Amino acid sequence: MVHVTYTSGPMCALTLHEHESYINTLLQLNTPCKLNHLSLSLYVYISLSIYLSLIVVFLERMPRHNGVCLWSLYSCAVFCLVAIVNAEDPYRFFTWNVTYGDIYPMGIRQQGILINGQFPGPEIYSVTNDNLIINVFNNLPEPFLISWNGVQQRRNSYEDGVYGTTCPIPPGQNFTYKLQVKDQIGSFYYFPSLGFQKAAGGFGAIKILSRPRIPVPFPDPADDYSILIGDWYTTNHTRLEKIMDLGWRLPFPDGVLINGRGDGGVTYNVEQGKTYRLRISNVGLQNSLNFRIEGHSMTLVEVEGTHTVQTPLSSLDVHVGQSYSVLVTADQPTQDYYIAVSSRFTSQNINTTGIFRYANSVKAVSGSPPPPPNTDITWSLNQARSIRTNLTASGPRPNPQGSYHYGQINISRTIKINGAASIIDRKQRYSVNGVSFVAADTPLKLADYFNISGVFKVGSIPDEPTDKAPYLDTSVMGADFRDFVEIVFENRENIIQSWHLDGYNFFVVGMDGGRWSDESRNNYNLVDAVSRCTVQVYPKSWTAIYLGLDNVGMWNIRNEFWVRRYLGEQFYLRVYSPVMSPRDEYPLPQNALLCGQAVEKSS
């Protein structure tokens, strides 16, 4: 037996005959014996050293005239040893301390959620395929959970950080997330997913850069800024929860923040003639926001991990939950310019400003910030339709983004999603296809793993709206691994909705006003539709997406309007494979927190 002790894992006892299967398994991220680069490299080194020793013994026993061939074999094995040890994807380690603290985003003292004393939280900087090891210490007096908006968690919904997949971190305890940004690039963010904690902070930016050898379809910018925008309440998030739990409606938000600061609180410094990348994410609670910079044009280059056709913009509508990258060139006279952010398509208007400041500026901002576009939905709809995939650009891999011909794949199923306001038991609720989601006592993914009956039922939400009265249930929709489906989001209300799917990107093939019908497919974009994870649905309109179900797991589909999500406008998509193999889905992480009925089942 060969015994290897790992710095952050258990003792692993491995026989020589087990090496091949164990190496294949350990090369996956969430395995008991792998937590850091040194550990796995040591294991692979010892494993291959044993093989090399056997070759040497074999060499000594063979006739000398076979030495050249066998020496070639030995040299090849040595080369493989070096290559495998050096080829593993890099690791990045983070330690986060989550606390309450005083914040003053709008000049009023509030209790905010801080990560390492910061509001917003620290930015995650990573490169395609990096392994992110994030040890989160919860020092709040309540459970806490972080989700990773846009990180696909390939084969690993256990780490998704929503209550349907992951147990909350109890007060005074910690949990280590083990994520891999596998085959991803782009701009995303993280946020607290329990209750209404998102209204207190705890969110931050995620950057995933391309690997050095993968070409990017624009020159390196002079700097790369993450800009988190969102509407904001000055009321404590626990008070907001109580209002909703009583069945009442929340008041309109009090304002808009840019990177956790109110009006005029943020400045971005630039130099004449240089180009900058701005990664803009709407981390707010309900409002679509328009982003613009006085006197400057922006060029759209990336949407949630997809390089886009480079489109010039005077302003950009960023709907709640969405992320974009734009390039801005400092090509104006050296002075200060307004950055303006304002709400869209609402009865009340809220707005804020920041400063775009040139080096050696000779003039401060003056007058009024630039106004937003008109409130006609048509302008925003046309902008959304103009966002297309750059087919010749590389994505996270060197092959062009257009090499995947989604428009030529046969659709196996059509799902229609209708989110609506509902009154259930005399309280304000929201539902999807007539079902208002209520959380079970056990995360659904754990109930699935341990075969716990009675927690949820696959098929508890229909594939399309019905005429039945709305009701409460733990809604889970079943789907088969490798199916290719069409989902139509229908919005019959007078507000903009914004829908997000965990675990995936999808192709936005169409959107229009009125009701969707089979004839609507005639106008689908089947060539260069943008691939993203969050999409808006305009009032009295529909949006259609194509989705390849290549990621096994339990995945949250939700309205990013956080009040609606809190009150039931969400469900889970269970993508199932009958083959119990780590090639399809990783096993339950050894450090997984257990709660509810999973505690008894695991013992």
Side-chain angles (χ1 to χ4, degrees):
M1 302 283 283
V2 177
H3 297 275
V4 182
T5 302
Y6 294 87
T7 58
S8 300
M11 182 73 73
C12 299
L14 307 170
T15 66
L16 184 61
H17 297 291
E18 294 173 320
H19 277 197
E20 182 177 357
S21 61
Y22 267 80
I23 289 174
N24 289 334
T25 303
L26 289 173
L27 286 174
Q28 312 301 330
L29 177 60
N30 282 302
T31 50
C33 297
K34 176 181 174 185
L35 261 184
N36 58 48
H37 187 200
L38 179 62
S39 301
L40 183 64
S41 299
L42 178 62
Y43 172 74
V44 176
Y45 179 86
I46 292 174
S47 301
L48 289 179
S49 295
I50 292 173
Y51 287 116
L52 291 176
S53 299
L54 293 177
I55 291 173
V56 170
V57 172
F58 189 49
L59 243 173
E60 292 174 346
R61 296 183 180 181
M62 290 296 291
R64 292 184 179 274
H65 65 268
N66 290 330
V68 174
C69 179
L70 289 171
W71 181 252
S72 298
L73 177 62
Y74 181 78
S75 300
C76 180
V78 171
F79 175 80
C80 291
L81 170 63
V82 174
I84 290 178
V85 169
N86 290 331
E88 191 196 3
D89 295 316
Y91 279 68
R92 298 179 188 270
F93 295 86
F94 306 83
T95 300
W96 286 358
N97 182 31
V98 181
T99 60
Y100 278 130
D102 289 342
I103 58 175
Y104 300 81
M106 300 188 69
I108 301 172
R109 185 167 69 105
Q110 294 181 246
Q111 182 186 72
I113 294 177
L114 312 180
I115 299 179
N116 294 348
Q118 300 177 42
F119 169 71
E123 178 179 275
I124 294 178
Y125 174 96
S126 62
V127 177
T128 300
N129 294 343
D130 279 358
N131 297 291
L132 308 179
I133 311 302
I134 306 172
N135 192 2
V136 179
F137 288 83
N138 177 21
N139 290 297
L140 303 180
E142 62 200 63
F144 184 74
L145 197 56
I146 293 181
S147 191
W148 320 90
N149 212 68
V151 177
Q152 293 176 7
Q153 314 289 359
R154 304 296 300 177
R155 295 181 282 176
N156 194 19
S157 62
Y158 296 107
E159 304 281 1
D160 198 35
V162 289
Y163 183 68
T165 63
T166 314
C167 288
I169 307 171
Q173 297 188 30
N174 72 300
F175 174 70
T176 301
Y177 290 91
K178 294 173 282 184
L179 320 175
Q180 186 180 27
V181 288
K182 181 68 174 174
D183 290 335
Q184 286 195 262
I185 57 171
S187 311
F188 308 100
Y189 66 92
Y190 61 87
F191 66 95
S193 63
L194 288 184
F196 221 60
Q197 288 178 339
K198 188 181 180 185
F203 46 74
I206 302 174
K207 285 180 185 173
I208 309 176
L209 277 64
S210 297
R211 290 172 288 177
R213 65 179 178 270
I214 305 299
V216 175
F218 49 86
D220 288 341
D223 211 335
D224 187 333
Y225 293 117
S226 293
I227 302 179
L228 305 178
I229 59 176
D231 50 15
W232 186 257
Y233 286 95
T234 56
T235 304
N236 188 283
H237 74 282
T238 57
R239 173 61 181 160
L240 297 174
E241 285 186 9
K242 290 177 181 178
I243 293 173
M244 291 185 290
D245 291 341
L246 290 171
W248 301 342
R249 292 177 179 267
L250 290 186
F252 199 73
D254 298 296
V256 176
L257 304 184
I258 302 176
N259 281 358
R261 304 293 184 270
D263 196 41
V266 175
T267 298
Y268 295 94
N269 296 308
V270 299
E271 295 183 21
Q272 178 77 35
K274 293 185 177 181
T275 298
Y276 298 82
R277 182 173 184 172
L278 309 182
R279 300 173 185 258
I280 309 161
S281 295
N282 186 338
V283 299
L285 301 169
Q286 67 183 62
N287 280 285
S288 299
L289 299 173
N290 182 266
F291 181 94
R292 53 206 181 275
I293 302 176
E294 180 185 16
H296 291 75
S297 177
M298 302 178 289
T299 301
L300 182 68
V301 294
E302 178 255 330
V303 174
E304 295 163 11
T306 299
H307 288 132
T308 63
V309 172
Q310 295 184 13
T311 307
L313 305 169
S314 58
S315 69
L316 176 64
D317 278 353
V318 186
H319 305 280
V320 63
Q322 293 185 339
S323 298
Y324 293 86
S325 279
V326 298
L327 299 179
V328 180
T329 300
D331 56 3
Q332 299 299 308
T334 54
Q335 63 181 60
D336 294 356
Y337 296 87
Y338 279 115
I339 296 172
V341 182
S342 53
S343 60
R344 298 282 278 155
F345 317 117
T346 54
S347 56
Q348 302 179 51
N349 292 321
I350 49 177
N351 53 73
T352 194
T353 62
I355 306 298
F356 197 68
R357 173 167 293 160
Y358 281 63
N360 302 315
S361 172
V362 297
K363 183 181 178 182
V365 293
S366 60
S368 299
N374 62 57
T375 56
D376 183 8
I377 290 291
T378 303
W379 183 93
S380 187
L381 176 62
N382 288 337
Q383 182 179 81
R385 286 170 168 168
S386 73
I387 299 173
R388 297 176 292 125
T389 295
N390 184 337
L391 298 179
T392 60
S394 297
R397 296 183 177 185
N399 49 302
Q401 293 180 139
S403 59
Y404 182 70
H405 302 289
Y406 67 92
Q408 300 176 17
I409 303 174
N410 292 328
I411 298 299
S412 57
R413 178 181 177 186
T414 296
I415 301 168
K416 297 180 183 178
I417 301 298
N418 177 31
S422 308
I423 300 297
I424 302 176
D425 296 333
R426 298 182 180 180
K427 291 185 177 182
Q428 179 67 60
R429 296 287 300 184
Y430 296 90
S431 61
V432 181
N433 292 355
V435 186
S436 185
F437 182 86
V438 289
D441 63 354
T442 305
L444 310 181
K445 186 59 187 170
L446 295 184
D448 208 13
Y449 178 83
F450 289 112
N451 294 314
I452 303 172
S453 61
V455 174
F456 71 91
K457 179 181 177 182
V458 176
S460 49
I461 178 174
D463 276 18
E464 58 184 40
T466 68
D467 295 329
K468 295 181 180 179
Y471 60 94
L472 305 175
D473 203 349
T474 305
S475 39
V476 176
M477 182 179 291
D480 292 330
F481 182 44
R482 300 195 189 285
D483 272 3
F484 195 80
V485 302
E486 172 188 48
I487 300 180
V488 180
F489 295 99
E490 297 180 316
N491 181 5
R492 301 174 187 175
E493 300 183 332
N494 291 317
I495 64 167
I496 288 182
Q497 296 182 1
S498 187
W499 288 88
H500 176 85
L501 170 58
D502 282 351
Y504 288 94
N505 266 26
F506 46 73
F507 294 95
V508 184
V509 295
M511 56 176 62
D512 206 350
R515 290 289 186 94
W516 181 90
S517 68
D518 290 344
E519 288 70 33
S520 301
R521 296 190 180 105
N522 296 332
N523 295 317
Y524 278 6
N525 178 355
L526 300 181
V527 178
D528 60 356
V530 70
S531 173
R532 65 185 313 166
C533 57
T534 307
V535 68
Q536 72 272 27
V537 191
Y538 290 98
K540 305 291 185 181
S541 301
W542 57 267
T543 295
I545 66 172
Y546 278 2
L547 172 64
L549 298 176
D550 61 352
N551 197 12
V552 174
M554 188 77 70
W555 305 109
N556 190 221
I557 300 182
R558 59 179 177 267
N559 193 327
E560 290 281 0
F561 190 144
W562 218 241
V563 172
R564 299 175 74 107
R565 190 251 191 184
Y566 180 87
L567 293 176
E569 199 164 321
Q570 61 170 310
F571 68 98
Y572 282 82
L573 185 70
R574 178 183 183 256
V575 180
Y576 176 73
S577 171
V579 181
M580 304 299 291
S581 166
R583 290 179 301 176
D584 293 346
E585 184 176 28
Y586 295 146
L588 179 72
Q590 188 193 31
N591 71 326
L593 296 173
L594 300 180
C595 54
Q597 299 179 53
V599 175
E600 296 179 3
K601 283 288 184 178
S602 65
S603 58

